[in-house]
């Protein structure tokens, strides 16, 4: 565990030249009723991409809280990911690290921990079934070939087919995906995240007005 945590810290080290192209708050809705919120921040630099989120579902007692950090190193293809649970499952953590062609996922809870390894590779996307801004990784995915993905809470491997086209209403871009999970992401004219819809969850996340 110490070795994995140290590796994660190295992968998540962010250079001082970072820029913030997008950040905001999403309203998570089920049948037009708000059931939670997600604050997110996207940071880019010469060496890669970082996405951080804090998601709170208010429909449970206590509310379910999830905090995630993902960093993708563009030059090497390495990935670092951390998910921390609060509220209903305080203290539980999930780590994922990809180095080279090997992905290691480790779940740590009060009663112990479990680790698994699987093939990795460049272009791999790490997702969860409870947060939305992580789907921004698909913006840079090639539309002409399958995109390998892992739902880290399983972990469960997927092969996504990604399509993109104009979003006339927003003057931006619509990105949709199928293959084990389905959804749609809408970007505005400045590339800002406006909406993410995941029909299997019965949820959509809509950007709040600033």
């Amino acid at each position: 565990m110490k070795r994995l945590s140290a590796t994660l810290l190295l992968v998540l080290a962010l250079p001082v030249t970072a820029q913030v192209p997008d950040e905001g708050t999403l309203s998570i809705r089920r049948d037009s009723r708000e059931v939670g919120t997600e604050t997110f921040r996207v940071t880019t630099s010469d060496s890669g991409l970082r996405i951080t989120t804090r998601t709170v579902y208010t429909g449970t007692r206590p509310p379910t809280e999830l905090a995630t950090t993902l960093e993708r190193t563009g030059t090497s293809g390495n990935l670092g990911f951390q998910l921390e649970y609060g509220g209903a499952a305080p203290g539980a953590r999930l780590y994922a690290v990809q180095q080279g062609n090997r992905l290691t996922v480790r779940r740590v809870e009060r009663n112990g921990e479990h680790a698994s390894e699987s093939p990795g590779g460049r272009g791999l996307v790490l997702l969860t079934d409870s947060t939305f801004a992580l789907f921004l990784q698909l913006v840079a995915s090639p539309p002409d070939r399958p995109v390998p993905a892992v739902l880290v809470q399983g972990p469960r491997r997927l092969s996504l087919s990604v399509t993109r086209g104009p979003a006339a209403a927003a003057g931006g871009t619509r990105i949709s995906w199928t293959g084990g999970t389905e959804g749609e992401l809408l970007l505005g004219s400045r590339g800002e995240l406006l909406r993410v819809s995941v029909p299997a969850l019965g949820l959509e996340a809509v950007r709040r007005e600033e």
Side-chain angles (χ1 to χ4, degrees):
M1 179 61 199
K2 290 182 178 179
R3 182 178 179 182
L4 181 62
S5 298
T7 301
L8 183 68
L9 289 174
L10 289 173
V11 174
L12 296 181
L14 191 67
V16 296
T17 56
Q19 298 180 350
V20 181
D22 196 15
E23 61 182 329
T25 300
L26 303 173
S27 171
I28 303 173
R29 302 174 182 177
R30 184 189 302 274
D31 297 328
S32 301
R33 180 175 60 90
E34 184 173 280
V35 296
T37 60
E38 179 171 305
T39 57
F40 71 96
R41 181 182 176 94
V42 181
T43 311
T44 60
S45 69
D46 293 340
S47 62
L49 167 75
R50 171 181 281 190
I51 301 173
T52 58
T53 71
R54 181 178 181 271
T55 309
V56 180
Y57 286 92
T58 54
T60 60
R61 292 291 180 269
T64 300
E65 301 178 14
L66 305 97
T68 69
T69 301
L70 177 138
E71 177 142 343
R72 177 183 300 276
T73 305
T75 54
S76 65
N78 289 346
L79 286 170
F81 176 87
Q82 177 176 314
L83 185 153
E84 183 174 357
Y85 293 89
R93 289 179 171 85
L94 191 150
Y95 302 92
V97 172
Q98 174 179 271
Q99 287 188 303
N101 291 318
R102 179 61 55 180
L103 175 69
T104 302
V105 177
R106 185 180 297 270
R107 186 182 183 95
V108 181
E109 299 176 303
R110 289 180 177 179
N111 59 351
E113 59 183 76
H114 173 75
S116 63
E117 290 191 347
S118 61
R122 294 185 66 87
L124 181 69
V125 171
L126 299 182
L127 303 169
T128 80
D129 59 10
S130 310
T131 59
F132 294 86
L134 292 178
F135 285 103
L136 284 167
Q137 296 172 86
L138 298 178
V139 172
S141 297
D144 55 346
R145 61 177 182 269
V147 177
V150 171
L151 284 172
V152 292
Q153 287 136 312
R156 177 186 168 204
R157 297 190 68 89
L158 305 170
S159 180
L160 303 180
S161 177
V162 178
T163 59
R164 55 176 47 82
T173 304
R174 180 184 59 83
I175 297 171
S176 59
W177 59 91
T178 59
T181 183
E182 298 182 0
E184 182 179 275
L185 180 152
L186 183 65
L187 301 176
S189 58
R190 296 178 287 106
E192 73 277 20
L193 177 61
L194 297 181
R195 180 174 61 86
V196 182
S197 175
V198 183
L201 299 178
L203 297 173
E204 70 171 0
V206 180
R207 190 185 190 104
R208 283 183 171 176
E209 295 283 345
E210 297 295 337

